[in-house]
Amino acid sequence: MAVDLESPSNFITTRLRQAVNWGRKYSLWPLPFEVACCAIEFMSTVSSYNDISRFGAELVRFSPRQSDLLIIAGTISYKQAPILKTIYEQMAEPKWVIAMGACASSGGFYNNYSTLQGADRVIPVDVYVAGCPPTPENLMFALTQIQEKVEKEGLVPASDRHTDRAEA
Amino acid sequence: MSQKLVERLQQEFSGEIRTVSNPKGDETVVVDREKLVDVLTHLRDSEGCEQLSDVVGVDYPDRDERFEVNYLLRSWKNNHRLIVKVNAAEDEPVPTATGVYRSADWHEREVYDLLGVPFADHPDLRRILCHHEFEGHALRKDYPIEQGQECSRPEHLFNDQDITAAARRATTLVTDLDGALDEVHPSDLLTVNLGPSHPAMHGALRAEVLLDGETILEARTEIGYIHRCFEKESEDHTWAQVMPYTDRLNYCSAMLNNSIYASAVEKLIGVEATPRAQAIRVIVSELSRIIDHLVCICANLVDIGALTNYWYLYNVRESIYEQLEKLCGSRLTTNYARIGGMSHDLYEGFDLEVLAKLDQLDEGISDVMKLVARNGIFLDRTVDVGVISQADALSFGYTGPCLRATGLAYDLRKTNPYWGYENYDFAIPTGTNGDTHDRIMVRMAEMVQSRSIIIQALENLPDGPLNVDDHSVVMPPKEKVYGSIEGVMNQFKLVYEGICVPAGEAYGFGEGANGELGFFCVSDGTGNPYRLKVRPPCFPIFSSYAFLAEGGMIPDAIATLGSLNIIAGELDR
Ligand code: SF4
């Protein structure tokens, strides 16, 4: 970025990619996939005490078409998995995913006939958050990590970021 | 009292009651399968057993009659409890009780799903917790716990025939009203999925509704989206290791689950928590009840558009969380109670901090009441919305605030006092109309009562030991573990083998935030539960949701759902 102070009409020169990513980074629109206990901590994160809007991510959308950050808060069962996949596919590129908590990351302490052993078995995940449930601080830290990613990779669609996956 | 009931029952059905027993104070009779419906009908009509609280199936693969099905009955009016048992071999149908109690519908489906017991003449015997492509029955002893089965797509709840039938019904309805035939064609009807992934459906609940214009003609619900196999997991863990799993049943009030679970196991072992532990359980349980109600009310109000209240109420909750974190290291999943006591004592200065939080609560409640109590929009959205009558509520298995909103002052803390609840002075708030408004207001009033209970408990907190003096149940003190070989062995056995709970059965229960929370414990004398069945208060309540939603509009259905306080973790287990 360069600022031209000499010229009578001040203007800033930058690269388009940087300008877009800068804007995107501070206006992530999260879609909470709230299924279990972790969702309660998501509620805490958006409530006024923790105030997620400090990071520009307070515009919680419940339509996948309008959001670019999927936060999986809770246990994904085999019954839930096809729904999670559909919702992810309905989100427009570019999009990012946070697996919030032990269950979404790995199945947590539910290793049984009904629980999917991590959301990344069905969709690609960008940031995993430890904790059962993670505290609001943990989730906000994950959000800043997503912001870093956005800044660095921005215009790349999720399918290109996760090339190691057969499907995306 | 329940003993007399059993005697009368024996006279009435002379020779047909197989055995009578009273394990741990739970009166139990075993009857023949063929006689089941007669016995239940008699109990309902002549003995005042208005409610079937739960149906518990247990699998004994070595017996000739492999399955045992327990019907947990309750008469609030006469304060009776009775367990009716039937036995069935594999593939032998048990007659359905759906004609006697409406709550039997879902309870029997669950037994069918998890154990494969067929119920003859059940109107809709489908799976309920496992997905529709699942094969086998997960709670049978021969089903391996880790054997997952993938699900390729969600199930449709209405097929073409259902829609045609509904259109025909709608046609007659319209014709009846204005005389002229106004045909409703199946293509006029619209199916809409509410949930499972929608914030108003609280994450994991699903209802598919059939709309005629804006009116819900028919609704069907589906659950099981976060079935996490609590019951199978508990058979795989020791009694003490189950404690953290109970946190995640109703995760809005984890301490209540902890404490009631601990009491249920104590009942089976035959020990009683010390007075100090009981008082601490009362305090943390009432705090949990408060935060549970706070979440329910604030989410309910957000659902109907009153967002400001969310900030007012959630901040109180947030500050109570801080205190819970200070007490047990975790905000949500507290894991605080232990079988035989508590994990540790209250910290110094706990009482003063609680009192300060209770003042914040007062402020929050009064702020919100100022906003809603006479707010025209709020009243329009809630009064006469989602109404349920007393009789229906009882038959569906309602307990807790939702039952009290219909005007019945039934509360287990009064009818079957535990932890010394009889020594506290508190009232049971009730509603009159059984609608969404009353459910919200009953919860508001209950928080005030809980506040008063906490203050009384803090004032009279007994001194003395926290845990029972029995080291076959609670861990030995650390000095002993590090100082003597007996101490090491004691600790080692408790950790590796678990508490050896004597063989037998017991049903322990208490008033959860949302109604009767019960644990039906079966032990075979080893360190793991043989069977542990939860009676989650919101399971029977949610079974009535379709009934409540039909005939209303979608916004009404959303307002109603919020006021029922369905917590998916507890619903699906
Ligand atoms: S990680 Fe823990 S808190 Fe989160 S959904 Fe799983 S069990 Fe609940």
Side-chain angles (χ1 to χ4, degrees):
Chain A
M1 214 183 272
V3 184
D4 186 352
L5 295 171
E6 306 288 289
S7 139
S9 59
N10 288 352
F11 61 88
I12 297 173
T13 53
T14 178
R15 271 174 293 174
L16 177 66
R17 209 189 85 166
Q18 270 180 351
V20 170
N21 284 353
W22 178 80
R24 220 172 235 164
K25 177 176 145 187
Y26 293 116
S27 60
L28 287 165
W29 288 19
L31 163 70
F33 193 79
E34 299 188 326
V35 279
C37 353
C38 277
I40 304 289
E41 282 301 58
F42 178 81
M43 282 168 75
S44 292
T45 317
V46 291
S47 73
S48 51
Y49 185 82
N50 290 297
D51 196 9
I52 201 173
S53 58
R54 291 181 288 155
F55 305 93
E58 79 276 24
L59 215 55
V60 177
R61 293 286 102 171
F62 290 102
S63 162
R65 321 256 182 215
Q66 297 172 346
S67 44
D68 50 8
L69 173 63
L70 178 65
I71 300 181
I72 309 167
T75 322
I76 305 298
S77 64
Y78 287 112
K79 197 170 184 172
Q80 186 80 271
I83 293 156
L84 176 64
K85 188 155 197 267
T86 314
I87 288 199
Y88 177 76
E89 282 163 0
Q90 285 173 345
M91 289 170 66
E93 290 281 6
K95 54 189 170 186
W96 295 270
V97 178
I98 293 180
M100 176 181 181
C103 285
S105 304
S106 70
F109 76 166
Y110 295 100
N111 185 6
N112 54 38
Y113 62 86
S114 173
T115 313
L116 191 72
Q117 299 301 296
D120 55 7
R121 303 266 170 126
V122 282
I123 60 169
V125 172
D126 291 286
V127 173
Y128 300 84
V129 193
C132 181
T135 56
E137 291 85 347
N138 283 348
L139 183 61
M140 288 187 284
F141 178 59
L143 188 69
T144 57
Q145 285 187 311
I146 290 281
Q147 289 181 333
E148 275 173 31
K149 273 185 176 252
V150 172
E151 189 164 25
K152 277 198 227 117
E153 355 183 299
L155 299 179
V156 189
S159 47
D160 292 351
R161 272 184 283 128
H162 300 278
T163 44
D164 51 332
R165 299 180 63 88
E167 89 282 52
Chain B
M1 250 195 303
S2 305
Q3 229 169 334
K4 294 228 177 70
L5 166 71
V6 174
E7 281 164 22
R8 284 199 299 276
L9 196 66
Q10 273 176 313
Q11 276 163 15
E12 180 73 28
F13 292 89
S14 49
E16 276 147 354
I17 305 281
R18 279 209 230 161
T19 45
V20 176
S21 62
N22 176 1
K24 308 286 173 190
D26 305 321
E27 299 291 341
T28 308
V29 296
V30 182
V31 303
D32 285 333
R33 280 195 309 284
E34 298 73 40
K35 277 280 152 215
L36 175 70
V37 175
D38 292 345
V39 171
L40 293 182
T41 314
H42 171 78
L43 284 168
R44 183 195 63 184
D45 295 340
S46 313
E47 296 290 351
C49 293
E50 317 102 334
Q51 205 161 53
L52 172 68
S53 350
D54 204 355
V55 179
V56 184
V58 189
D59 178 20
Y60 295 98
D62 302 334
R63 294 188 186 169
D64 289 343
E65 290 186 313
R66 173 172 183 176
F67 298 112
E68 195 179 88
V69 185
N70 298 276
Y71 294 78
L72 276 54
L73 302 176
R74 183 184 285 283
S75 160
W76 291 94
K77 206 166 37 199
N78 307 331
N79 201 3
H80 287 157
R81 271 187 325 110
L82 183 67
I83 299 176
V84 178
K85 251 184 219 294
V86 296
N87 294 299
E90 200 163 348
D91 297 327
E92 244 173 10
V94 174
T96 177
T98 41
V100 194
Y101 297 103
R102 302 181 84 149
S103 58
D105 184 351
W106 277 28
H107 289 313
E108 289 180 352
R109 276 176 66 189
E110 183 183 325
V111 177
Y112 163 74
D113 179 7
L114 298 179
L115 287 165
V117 178
F119 287 90
D121 301 325
H122 187 288
D124 183 26
L125 200 61
R126 288 181 295 130
R127 288 192 180 274
I128 187 163
L129 293 178
C130 296
H131 56 79
H132 61 124
E133 293 165 4
F134 197 90
E135 280 170 17
H137 300 283
L139 265 190
R140 287 191 177 187
K141 290 285 172 190
D142 46 20
Y143 191 93
I145 179 167
E146 283 168 23
Q147 189 177 311
Q149 298 187 27
E150 284 184 12
C151 173
S152 62
R153 56 174 183 85
E155 188 185 6
H156 283 293
L157 303 182
F158 287 104
N159 60 25
D160 289 347
Q161 284 148 357
D162 297 331
I163 299 177
T164 317
R168 211 172 307 127
R169 267 204 316 281
T171 306
T172 35
L173 221 66
V174 173
T175 319
D176 286 350
L177 284 182
D178 28 334
L181 186 77
D182 182 3
E183 200 182 337
V184 179
H185 198 261
S187 62
D188 298 340
L189 302 181
L190 183 69
T191 39
V192 175
N193 252 316
L194 306 181
S197 176
H198 191 280
M201 296 307 281
H202 298 218
L205 315 173
R206 177 177 173 212
E208 200 168 317
V209 294
L210 206 54
L211 292 177
D212 177 17
E214 286 197 58
T215 313
I216 299 178
L217 208 54
E218 200 177 328
R220 290 185 184 180
T221 44
E222 203 203 2
I223 65 169
Y225 285 99
I226 64 160
H227 177 47
R228 302 189 277 196
C229 327
F230 173 86
E231 289 159 16
K232 191 85 175 175
E233 286 282 3
S234 36
E235 290 169 20
D236 204 43
H237 290 75
T238 65
W239 290 95
Q241 283 173 331
V242 173
M243 190 62 77
Y245 284 95
T246 64
D247 285 335
R248 287 141 182 97
L249 288 171
N250 180 347
Y251 33 74
C252 290
S253 49
M255 289 203 175
L256 257 167
N257 307 340
N258 292 168
S259 308
I260 293 176
Y261 169 68
S263 296
V265 183
E266 284 160 10
K267 179 174 173 185
L268 184 53
I269 301 176
V271 294
E272 199 185 17
T274 61
R276 186 170 175 87
Q278 293 191 3
I280 294 179
R281 283 181 190 175
V282 168
I283 295 169
V284 294
S285 295
E286 294 307 321
L287 269 178
S288 302
R289 195 181 313 280
I290 290 174
I291 50 181
D292 193 282
H293 286 356
L294 283 174
V295 169
C296 169
I297 296 171
C298 76
N300 198 182
L301 290 172
V302 171
D303 289 347
I304 58 178
L307 186 65
T308 320
N309 304 283
Y310 176 77
W311 314 120
Y312 283 157
L313 293 180
Y314 210 91
N315 282 353
V316 180
R317 183 186 159 96
E318 193 64 40
S319 84
I320 297 181
Y321 264 168
E322 265 173 27
Q323 192 167 8
L324 297 185
E325 189 175 15
K326 199 166 164 187
L327 177 63
C328 50
S330 173
R331 290 156 52 89
L332 206 71
T333 41
T334 51
N335 190 18
Y336 183 43
R338 290 288 178 276
I339 298 163
M342 305 304 275
S343 89
H344 50 270
D345 212 325
L346 303 177
Y347 58 85
E348 190 106 5
F350 176 85
D351 45 351
L352 293 179
E353 284 182 23
V354 168
L355 295 177
K357 309 278 163 173
L358 293 179
D359 289 342
Q360 287 180 24
L361 173 72
D362 275 352
E363 217 174 298
I365 294 180
S366 90
D367 283 344
V368 169
M369 285 306 271
K370 274 186 235 152
L371 282 174
V372 301
R374 293 191 210 177
N375 180 324
I377 304 175
F378 171 73
L379 296 176
D380 281 351
R381 290 293 311 272
T382 56
V383 174
D384 287 333
V385 169
V387 184
I388 188 155
S389 68
Q390 287 182 5
D392 281 338
L394 282 170
S395 180
F396 268 119
Y398 273 46
T399 48
C402 296
L403 179 63
R404 294 193 279 272
T406 67
L408 293 173
Y410 292 155
D411 188 319
L412 290 169
R413 292 172 295 174
K414 288 274 190 202
T415 55
N416 304 59
Y418 50 97
W419 305 336
Y421 267 115
E422 62 275 26
N423 305 326
Y424 299 101
D425 179 22
F426 65 102
I428 308 178
T430 54
T432 47
N433 200 12
D435 59 6
T436 301
H437 176 268
D438 285 6
R439 288 190 280 267
I440 295 178
M441 290 306 156
V442 163
R443 287 202 173 86
M444 285 280 191
E446 275 185 16
M447 291 196 286
V448 178
Q449 297 301 323
S450 296
R451 176 185 184 281
S452 127
I453 297 175
I454 295 173
I455 294 175
Q456 294 171 45
L458 284 172
E459 274 169 5
N460 305 313
L461 191 64
D463 288 328
L466 182 66
N467 292 334
V468 292
D469 184 24
D470 178 351
H471 292 301
S472 64
V473 179
V474 293
M475 292 282 184
K478 279 283 174 277
E479 306 85 70
K480 271 200 186 156
V481 180
Y482 292 122
S484 70
I485 186 72
E486 292 78 19
V488 178
M489 282 311 294
N490 191 342
Q491 158 114 2
F492 180 84
K493 280 181 107 65
L494 275 181
V495 171
Y496 276 82
E497 289 171 7
I499 303 166
C500 286
V501 175
E505 293 179 4
Y507 177 64
F509 55 90
E511 184 73 26
N514 209 18
E516 175 178 352
L517 174 65
F519 291 89
F520 189 90
C521 313
V522 183
S523 173
D524 58 355
T526 61
N528 290 13
Y530 184 78
R531 175 89 169 92
L532 182 62
K533 168 76 173 70
V534 193
R535 191 264 175 208
C538 64
F539 184 85
I541 294 179
F542 193 59
S543 72
S544 72
Y545 183 60
F547 170 78
L548 288 178
E550 280 166 14
M553 293 186 185
I554 288 189
D556 295 342
I558 299 300
T560 306
L561 180 71
S563 70
L564 296 178
N565 194 15
I566 308 299
I567 305 289
E570 171 186 88
L571 177 74
D572 295 344
R573 283 152 284 146

